[in-house]
Amino acid sequence: MRELRAGKVSAVANAILTILKIFAGFLVNSTALIADGIHSLIDVLGSVLVWIGIKISMKPPDELYPYGRIKAESLAELSVGLIIVFSSITIMHEAILSLINRSIPEFEFYALGVAMFSAVVNEILARYKIKVGLETKSSSLIAEGKHSRVDVLSSLSVFVGLIFVKFGYWWLDPVIAVVISVLILQTGFGILKNSADSLMDKVDLEMIVKIRQIVERVEGVEGVEFVGVRGTWKAKIVEVQISVNPGMSAETIDVIEKEIEERVRQMIPEVVRILVVTKVKRPLVVAIPEDGYGSYTGDIDSPYFTIANLSKGESYRVENPHYGVERRKGFLVAEFLSNHNVNVLIVNRIGEGAKSHFKSRGIVVRFEEGRSVEEIISLLKKDVKEEI
């Protein structure tokens, strides 16, 4: 894999630069050059961690990791960020000590050559890693590339500092080292933020909107209730909750779910897994007890019920065949209303026994006060959700 090869190339190159810069830095007593060498040494560890993270993230899902190990690369990116922050603090500490102790570096052309060579190599590495990272969608490799771009500035700063040393401005060497450490620290915090966002499944609003639009265009989908995306930039796991009309066969629902998966994968290649949860959208049908003249009674022992399908905006009046019965009134009325597909009963009083009968039939009891059936229906249209 290209990203693994890039990680290995980076590790080898940084190892060579580490030896050259630290060796030259000690010879000329340059804190900035030694600090830059330490930075490259830590880069070697970062490159190794990136390589390990990419390697682990490629392992397929299993029983212990049903969603795979895609977050391993984010952990590697987090490690790189921590390493960068640690290296910047180390460099700053050494530079301040050098300034306090008046550690004066010597000017040598070979040290100048090492600093320029390091800048050129790091720029080549930065372009190579960022290019491969973008093409393979490897966030940890892109983080390493950005790190190398900071190394370019670091080495160029050392180069400029050594020139100033030539003209007697020795104190600029440790000052430049402090400036380098600040630049490195900013890069480290940026990488830490990106990795933390990935590990904490921060919402990608643009992708969620795109997935929602794709799903809404699938024939048979009545509504998209929820879209969730998690994973890394390279590999996304998507969860979609949709609603369909009642009466739709299991075979048809299965076709809809497969169509959603195919379309999302086709439009968004980085999606590696899609979980589709389907809910049957039930029409909201309410029963309102009344006296036959449109006045709301609020009691199941009423001569009539108005049955209103609020989802369709339709209503009709039915006579209560169990009006005035003495025994099993709750059970009989619940059965009667269930046959009319009622799923909400509007009352202002009801016994606990009768209420349990309605619950067993899947009918929700809602308490409302009002004077007319029209008033109750108007109230329900404002306050009751379209699904229960």
Side-chain angles (χ1 to χ4, degrees), residues 98-388:
S98 180
L99 194 61
I100 292 172
N101 296 329
R102 299 179 60 82
S103 180
I104 302 175
E106 300 175 11
F107 175 82
E108 295 290 348
F109 282 105
Y110 63 80
L112 206 62
V114 168
M116 181 54 69
F117 176 73
S118 174
V120 172
V121 171
N122 276 313
E123 178 60 25
I124 294 171
L125 279 176
R127 294 188 180 192
Y128 172 59
K129 287 186 283 188
I130 291 175
K131 181 176 181 293
V132 175
L134 289 170
E135 291 173 352
T136 61
K137 294 188 178 297
S138 172
S139 59
S140 59
L141 195 56
I142 292 173
E144 264 287 277
K146 291 179 179 179
H147 191 188
S148 293
R149 185 60 53 74
V150 172
D151 291 346
V152 176
L153 295 175
S154 174
S155 295
L156 286 176
S157 299
V158 172
F159 180 85
V160 173
L162 288 172
I163 291 177
F164 276 106
V165 168
K166 171 71 174 175
F167 296 98
Y169 300 100
W170 66 268
W171 50 269
L172 277 174
D173 183 75
V175 168
I176 287 173
V178 172
V179 173
I180 291 172
S181 66
V182 172
L183 292 174
I184 295 170
L185 193 63
Q186 289 177 337
T187 302
F189 283 138
I191 292 173
L192 285 176
K193 182 183 182 301
N194 289 336
S195 60
D197 288 344
S198 176
L199 290 169
M200 296 175 67
D201 295 322
K202 183 182 178 181
V203 174
D204 185 341
L205 294 176
E206 185 177 343
M207 180 168 287
I208 285 179
V209 170
K210 186 176 181 180
I211 292 172
R212 183 179 290 275
Q213 291 173 344
I214 294 171
V215 176
E216 286 175 342
R217 295 191 190 104
V218 176
E219 186 177 355
V221 175
E222 289 297 314
V224 181
E225 314 300 331
F226 171 78
V227 177
V229 180
R230 58 195 179 95
T232 63
W233 184 42
K234 183 179 181 180
K236 304 285 188 182
I237 296 173
V238 176
E239 180 182 349
V240 180
Q241 293 181 11
I242 62 171
S243 59
V244 298
N245 279 327
M248 188 173 285
S249 66
E251 291 79 9
T252 304
I253 292 175
D254 187 54
V255 171
I256 291 173
E257 291 177 349
K258 287 181 178 178
E259 180 70 15
I260 290 172
E261 183 173 351
E262 289 176 4
R263 290 195 188 186
V264 172
R265 284 181 181 274
Q266 183 180 6
M267 298 295 291
I268 310 174
E270 57 266 33
V271 173
V272 296
R273 182 171 179 177
I274 304 174
L275 175 63
V276 182
V277 178
T278 304
K279 297 192 299 181
V280 176
K281 189 173 184 179
R282 298 175 60 194
L284 185 59
V285 182
V286 301
I288 305 171
E290 55 144 305
D291 62 1
Y293 299 99
S295 295
Y296 171 60
T297 63
D299 191 346
I300 62 172
D301 189 21
S302 297
Y304 295 93
F305 283 96
T306 289
I307 309 297
N309 188 325
L310 297 184
S311 299
K312 295 183 178 181
E314 302 172 348
S315 64
Y316 59 92
R317 179 183 293 155
V318 294
E319 187 176 356
N320 181 7
H322 308 294
Y323 172 58
V325 300
E326 296 295 333
R327 301 180 61 186
R328 304 177 68 207
K329 184 183 303 180
F331 171 80
L332 294 171
V333 174
E335 185 178 34
F336 167 68
L337 294 180
S338 179
N339 291 334
H340 284 272
N341 299 316
V342 170
N343 44 44
V344 176
L345 171 66
I346 305 300
V347 293
N348 57 26
R349 60 185 178 276
I350 191 172
E352 288 300 320
K355 188 177 179 180
S356 65
H357 288 304
F358 286 103
K359 183 178 180 180
S360 67
R361 291 283 183 174
I363 299 175
V364 175
V365 176
R366 180 182 172 106
F367 294 92
E368 294 290 350
E369 296 291 339
R371 290 177 294 181
S372 68
V373 171
E374 288 185 1
E375 185 180 342
I376 295 297
I377 291 176
S378 177
L379 183 64
L380 291 173
K381 285 181 178 179
K382 292 180 181 178
D383 297 341
V384 180
K385 293 182 180 179
E386 287 298 318
E387 278 190 44
I388 58 173

